[in-house]
Amino acid sequence: MTEGETNSPRRRRASFAEDFRRFFVRGLAALLPTLITLWLLVKVWEFLWEALGRHIILAIRLIWLKLSQYGFVSDVPAGYIYRQLPSESFRVQVLGVVLAVVLVYVVGVLVGNFIGRQFWRLGEMAVMRVPLVRAIYPAVKQITDLFLCDRSGQFAGSRVVAIQHRAQDVWTIGLVTGPGLRALSQSTGDDMVSVFVPSTPTAFSGYVVVVPRSSVIELPLTVEEAMRLLVSGGVLGPTPRKQAVGDSEFVPLLPDEMRAASAAPPASAVGSS
């Protein structure tokens, strides 16, 4: 036995249990995204069918029977609808889910305009007068609005920046939402900006800080990339870019009263000239 063979440690062969655990974890990591996605789709299907689709099919059955009884549909005998639309049929469930999706879309269109929105608010005010509903509905509405409401327009004119307002050399990602308080700017003698600091993983909730413009560093990120970075806890980073911060792709999107001061070519800090 040579000296090299004596000094080199012999590699221990992995046992069957270690191999099984390692490959099982790898397989689970590969299959879990697909399985969870399918599970969520099944749950959405079941919710749409149980909450809306089943009742829509029942309403169609009742209306169809009433029309046949009153002679509006003369060639459809009574009971025909019950034989043609049994609730346990898969194609009936498909029809119910499709009609539920259409109903949700129609409600969204109605609530999206001014008149429909006013009627919806009147309905909410009437529902809020019920004692038990009044205790549950506001909390449920806040949760659904947090996850489902489209809030991207609120930050459409914002810029992604980095600030260090809590500790030196510890940077926080935020969105410039507007100029700072004029009274604060006059008191400090420095131009201030308002920065919304999102929280993780609910990036649409957070807090607002007012910091000097000279201490704010502009980042070459879009609002969508910043939100994706915050929601994922830093796992999903920004996509690589070919242009730098000073290129034409990063045009200042600050409010009008701030654009005049930032008309110079952007440097590492917002407003530095």
Side-chain angles (χ1 to χ4, degrees):
M1 182 178 294
T2 63
E3 182 179 356
E5 293 177 350
T6 305
N7 295 333
S8 61
R10 180 176 297 180
R11 185 176 180 181
R12 185 178 65 87
R13 185 177 181 182
S15 63
F16 173 77
E18 293 175 344
D19 284 341
F20 179 82
R21 182 177 58 184
R22 183 173 69 254
F23 289 115
F24 180 81
V25 170
R26 289 182 182 177
L28 196 62
L31 290 177
L32 267 184
T34 302
L35 296 178
I36 293 176
T37 302
L38 293 177
W39 180 79
L40 289 175
L41 292 177
V42 170
K43 291 302 179 181
V44 171
W45 176 281
E46 293 177 353
F47 174 78
L48 290 175
W49 167 247
E50 296 293 338
L52 292 175
R54 180 186 300 274
H55 305 289
I56 295 175
I57 295 298
L58 178 61
I60 294 176
R61 295 168 66 179
L62 295 176
I63 294 174
W64 200 337
L65 280 178
K66 289 296 181 181
L67 292 177
S68 64
Q69 291 176 0
Y70 286 103
F72 292 101
V73 187
S74 57
D75 56 341
V76 178
Y80 175 79
I81 183 64
Y82 287 94
R83 296 192 301 269
Q84 293 298 317
L85 293 180
S87 298
E88 65 275 4
S89 175
F90 177 74
R91 63 178 182 177
V92 174
Q93 292 189 14
V94 173
L95 176 62
V97 171
V98 171
L99 292 177
V101 172
V102 173
L103 177 62
V104 172
Y105 173 78
V106 171
V107 172
V109 172
L110 294 178
V111 177
N113 59 66
F114 178 77
I115 298 178
R117 187 160 52 248
Q118 296 304 317
F119 277 106
W120 188 264
R121 288 178 180 175
L122 291 176
E124 285 185 334
M125 293 174 60
V127 169
M128 288 294 292
R129 295 182 179 181
V130 181
L132 183 61
V133 176
R134 183 173 53 193
I136 301 175
Y137 183 80
V140 177
K141 182 174 175 59
Q142 289 180 359
I143 295 175
T144 56
D145 288 346
L146 176 63
F147 291 99
L148 297 180
C149 284
D150 184 11
R151 302 186 180 185
S152 58
Q154 297 181 1
F155 308 112
S158 303
R159 303 192 70 174
V160 182
V161 296
I163 59 175
Q164 46 177 358
H165 67 287
R166 290 186 173 179
Q168 286 294 114
D169 298 329
V170 178
W171 295 92
T172 302
I173 297 178
L175 304 174
V176 177
T177 55
L181 299 175
R182 182 173 300 178
L184 185 59
S185 298
Q186 293 175 354
S187 300
T188 59
D190 197 351
D191 196 9
M192 312 294 285
V193 293
S194 298
V195 179
F196 173 73
V197 179
S199 59
T200 301
T202 56
F204 286 107
S205 63
Y207 54 94
V208 177
V209 295
V210 182
V211 296
R213 182 186 298 180
S214 58
S215 64
V216 176
I217 295 181
E218 179 185 351
L219 298 179
L221 301 176
T222 63
V223 176
E224 291 77 11
E225 289 175 340
M227 289 298 179
R228 185 168 62 246
L229 179 68
L230 293 169
V231 169
S232 64
V235 176
L236 300 178
T239 56
R241 294 177 178 272
K242 295 182 180 180
Q243 292 179 313
V245 179
D247 292 342
S248 60
E249 182 180 352
F250 301 98
V251 178
L253 297 175
L254 301 180
D256 295 334
E257 56 268 24
M258 299 177 62
R259 297 191 187 190
S262 61
S268 60
V270 175
S272 63
S273 58

